[in-house]
Amino acid sequence: MKQTKGLEGDKMSIIKFEFNPKVGIDNPALTLTEDTDGEGVGEPRFYLLTKDSTETFGFCLHEELGCQGHVIRQLELGGVAQRRGLQDGDRLLQVNGHFVDHMDHVRVVQKIKASGNQVLLAVLDGDSYEAAKSLGRDLSQMLPDDIRPRLCHVARDKSGFGFSVSCPEVPLLLLLLPAGTKGTFQLSVLQDGPADRAGVPPGSWLLELNGDSVKSYSHTQLSKKLKQSGNKVTLLVASSAVEEFYRLRGLRVTAALADTSWLPFKVRELHLVKGPAGYGFLLKEDDCSSGGIGQFLWDVDVGLPAEQAGMKEGDRVLAVNGESIEGLDHEQTVHRIRAHEDQVTLLVIDPAGDEFFHSVGLGSCGAACPSQGLCIHPSFTLLDWAVPSAVL
């Protein structure tokens, strides 16, 4: 137990780390309590949930009559959520740094699904949530503004990458590493240079280079890796404030949690309304360049809804109507597309973007959409279709 300043003003908070021997020290449960002048309002708790592709996060998210907020229910005994410390009745406030209390329930579910195998949640216990609401408190003000590291793709120009790397003397409070330890690199960024334009914050800490952790690199090894990168390099960086946020909560910073808005590669959302001649594209199942099987868009007809929505030949489908299709076969994907007779929304990525996200270890779409991992309430039943191939 130790005392430190809380997130609001100069009030003193108690930070309590609960060690779970099954989980280890990467993500101890964190409980923040604050003197609230008898208001009965606690502080948000943060949990980094990590699962593999064969399991779920182990909870249901409910929207209940007579109960405000997005409610955590039906924690799976021994599941990821329960092991990390989520409690029945907790209210979900934030998903990967995005405030969601005001959002439509379906959109919140989609945000969690879009996180793939890792998600960072901020929750408030039910009693504190109800007390805060009754007091008219702005729940968003109880949370830090920006807690995501950044993934930045830097293209060299005639002056170089526009950043330099230093190995500062590291105080014990930083990353819990002693001074001089390998893997501790801070970036100085040239104003208006390539790194600055790519979104690298001045003074940020370098965590990964081209998808690989730098924690074991010496300065010499890092310099060699940079030279081998050619004219482009991808950096996972965290500002001092973001690094401090994760460190104080015992959370591990990963690319899966990164803000990817600075990247030149984007997923695209296509909304199609079926015309008299259909949507105007062909869906085919094929091998992905990185391995595995994917659903690809081909034979896009000129002038029909698919082309008008921005579809390009070779795009890969990532999600249908906000639901990831990872793990689905061709027939199941076709069923998803046909679930609504006259319109569909597809999340897609072009081949170059698909290859890039795999190269930096972010899976099929850069953490923009993938594995399910969340039990939805109420549940939706998918009917079985038998369609070998289909023009849509």
Side-chain angles (χ1 to χ4, degrees):
M1 300 280 285
K2 68 174 184 178
Q3 288 190 327
T4 184
K5 289 186 178 181
L7 298 177
E8 298 180 2
D10 293 326
K11 293 182 179 181
M12 299 300 290
S13 300
I14 302 297
I15 296 180
K16 177 184 178 183
F17 291 97
E18 301 173 0
F19 177 72
N20 185 333
K22 291 185 178 180
V23 175
I25 61 174
D26 279 346
N27 182 28
L30 172 69
T31 302
L32 290 178
T33 58
E34 181 180 300
D35 177 9
T36 56
D37 301 323
E39 295 174 351
V41 180
E43 286 290 326
R45 311 187 320 272
F46 295 84
Y47 297 97
L48 182 62
L49 307 184
T50 302
K51 68 180 187 66
D52 61 40
S53 58
T54 63
E55 63 181 343
T56 71
F57 287 126
F59 70 94
C60 292
L61 191 65
H62 283 211
E63 186 177 36
E64 300 176 352
L65 290 175
C67 187
Q68 299 182 84
H70 308 289
V71 190
I72 303 293
R73 295 295 190 198
Q74 294 176 241
L75 291 160
E76 178 185 339
L77 184 62
V80 175
Q82 187 190 59
R83 295 200 310 268
R84 292 302 189 195
L86 281 172
Q87 302 292 321
D88 185 75
D90 281 343
R91 303 303 200 279
L92 181 62
L93 300 184
Q94 201 176 64
V95 177
N96 293 335
H98 296 284
F99 185 67
V100 299
D101 184 62
H102 65 295
M103 290 177 60
D104 175 79
H105 188 72
V106 173
R107 288 184 60 200
V108 177
V109 170
Q110 291 172 351
K111 272 190 172 292
I112 299 176
K113 288 187 173 184
S115 298
N117 290 330
Q118 190 170 70
V119 65
L120 178 64
L121 304 179
V123 302
L124 190 63
D125 70 88
D127 290 340
S128 292
Y129 181 91
E130 297 292 347
K133 284 288 189 179
S134 67
L135 292 167
R137 292 186 62 176
D138 184 350
L139 295 177
S140 67
Q141 296 301 309
M142 300 174 67
L143 299 161
D145 292 331
D146 186 7
I147 60 171
R148 290 187 295 170
R150 287 187 187 180
L151 198 62
C152 303
H153 191 60
V154 186
R156 183 197 298 268
D157 66 12
K158 60 182 179 181
S159 66
F161 287 121
F163 67 85
S164 59
V165 181
S166 62
C167 301
E169 289 296 309
V170 185
L172 290 177
L173 62 88
L174 179 63
L175 298 175
L176 305 180
L177 297 174
T181 299
K182 286 184 177 182
T184 305
F185 304 109
Q186 194 167 28
L187 303 181
S188 297
V189 179
L190 177 66
Q191 186 175 1
D192 296 325
D196 187 28
R197 294 193 298 269
V200 179
S204 57
W205 298 92
L206 179 62
L207 306 176
E208 292 184 5
L209 173 66
N210 296 330
D212 294 325
S213 171
V214 301
K215 65 181 180 181
S216 64
Y217 289 178
S218 66
H219 189 275
T220 300
Q221 290 171 320
L222 179 64
S223 298
K224 183 178 180 180
K225 291 287 186 180
L226 284 168
K227 290 179 180 178
Q228 293 173 343
S229 298
N231 293 323
K232 296 179 180 179
V233 64
T234 302
L235 311 176
L236 178 66
V237 296
S239 68
S240 294
V242 170
E243 181 280 326
E244 182 181 34
F245 172 86
Y246 283 84
R247 172 174 45 77
L248 289 177
R249 290 157 178 80
L251 303 175
R252 185 165 46 89
V253 187
T254 69
L257 301 174
D259 176 2
T260 60
S261 63
W262 293 89
L263 294 175
F265 305 98
K266 309 290 184 184
V267 296
R268 306 184 335 269
E269 188 174 75
L270 312 178
H271 184 65
L272 287 66
V273 177
K274 185 182 292 184
Y279 289 125
F281 70 91
L282 179 67
L283 183 72
K284 292 183 179 180
E285 185 174 89
D286 206 347
D287 294 333
C288 298
S289 59
S290 56
I293 301 295
Q295 306 300 323
F296 295 86
L297 305 172
W298 296 102
D299 297 344
V300 180
D301 293 331
V302 177
L304 292 187
E307 187 201 40
Q308 293 171 348
M311 186 180 294
K312 305 295 183 183
E313 296 209 356
D315 283 343
R316 183 155 76 91
V317 181
L318 304 174
V320 176
N321 295 326
E323 300 282 345
S324 168
I325 65 163
E326 183 175 340
L328 300 188
D329 60 23
H330 183 79
E331 295 176 4
Q332 292 169 318
T333 304
V334 169
H335 169 67
R336 289 275 183 93
I337 294 173
R338 288 179 168 172
H340 301 285
E341 292 185 358
D342 60 349
Q343 59 182 314
V344 66
T345 299
L346 306 177
L347 192 68
V348 304
I349 191 167
D350 64 36
D354 200 12
E355 183 177 357
F356 168 79
F357 284 122
H358 275 287
S359 73
V360 295
L362 285 183
S364 58
C365 56
C369 167
S371 335
Q372 311 259 338
L374 176 72
C375 174
I376 311 173
H377 181 82
S379 60
F380 296 91
T381 302
L382 296 179
L383 302 178
D384 294 326
W385 278 45
V387 184
S389 63
V391 178
L392 304 167

